[in-house]
Amino acid sequence: MKLDIQIITLLYSFLFGIFYELSYLFLRKYLYYKKKYISYPLTLFFTLLFSFLYYLVLERANHGILHPYSIGLTFISCILTYSLFTKLRK
């Protein structure tokens, strides 16, 4: 894979992780709703929607090829965003 495609993939994975975590933090009260018949479908929809969005843009960037480092960078950016967001809320 070319270097420019790898850089685009890494940058996109990092930015998507931030977007995913911020969306999760703002929608958390609906995802963990007390009534399970509302909570489970919303969680399923949230997961499917964001998986589809991630793969859709990744398809444009590098023909939909998933690499372990792109998924790892997405998780790292989620963790960094969560820790930064919790520090800012205090």
Side-chain angles (χ1 to χ4, degrees):
M1 181 184 296
K2 294 180 182 178
L3 182 61
D4 58 341
I5 294 176
Q6 287 181 359
I7 292 172
I8 290 170
T9 302
L10 289 175
L11 182 64
Y12 168 67
S13 295
F14 186 76
L15 293 176
F16 186 81
I18 292 171
F19 174 67
Y20 178 80
E21 186 63 31
L22 289 175
S23 299
Y24 171 76
L25 290 173
F26 289 123
L27 296 174
R28 184 175 43 197
K29 65 181 176 180
Y30 300 111
L31 294 174
Y32 293 109
Y33 198 68
K34 292 179 183 177
K35 297 180 180 179
K36 299 299 179 190
Y37 65 88
I38 294 174
S39 176
Y40 290 156
L42 282 176
T43 303
L44 179 67
F45 177 72
F46 180 78
T47 304
L48 290 175
L49 177 69
F50 277 89
S51 299
F52 178 72
L53 286 174
Y54 181 75
Y55 187 74
L56 185 68
V57 176
L58 196 64
E59 176 69 31
R60 297 295 226 172
N62 69 354
H63 306 294
I65 300 171
L66 289 174
H67 291 284
Y69 58 80
S70 63
I71 296 171
L73 194 60
T74 304
F75 287 127
I76 289 170
S77 63
C78 285
I79 292 168
L80 290 175
T81 304
Y82 177 77
S83 63
L84 179 66
F85 190 77
T86 54
K87 286 181 183 178
L88 290 176
R89 289 184 85 171
K90 290 182 180 182

